Amino acid sequence: MAKGYWIGHVKVNNEEGYKPYVAANPSIFRKFGARIVVRGGKFECTEGQSRSRNVVIEFADYATAVACYRSPEYQANLKIRQANAISDMIIVEGYDGPQP
């Protein structure tokens, strides 16, 4: 079964205001079995536009990734992020087919 992923590109406008969002995420993510694959780190934007932070979070499957995002816990926390950052976020199903 293909995994599900959140892919986020974030520019934090208020570091202090953003801290409660970061602090609340671990308990939410644990509830849904999430695993952080990318959280910050060096990057090179080779095409298009970028933001200062990149995040990839892995879930057991696409449905779980969507359920986490739509959960009451995350929706409440999301308001903190939206008030303190500009973000692009997608939820995508991973690829589980043959490799080249």
Side-chain angles (χ1 to χ4, degrees), residues 42-62:
K42 289 193 271 184
F43 73 94
E44 180 178 335
C45 180
T46 56
E47 294 185 36
Q49 298 178 0
S50 66
R51 300 201 190 274
S52 56
R53 297 181 189 197
N54 300 288
V55 180
V56 177
I57 302 171
E58 180 182 81
F59 295 84
D61 53 44
Y62 179 78

Side-chain angles (χ1 to χ4, degrees), residues 8-15 18 38-45 48-55 84-88:
H9 305 285
V10 182
K11 178 181 182 269
V12 176
N13 296 324
N14 177 356
E15 290 287 341
Y18 193 76
V38 174
R39 184 178 180 194
K42 289 193 271 184
F43 73 94
E44 180 178 335
C45 180
Q49 298 178 0
S50 66
R51 300 201 190 274
S52 56
R53 297 181 189 197
N54 300 288
V55 180
N84 294 287
I86 299 169
S87 304
D88 295 313

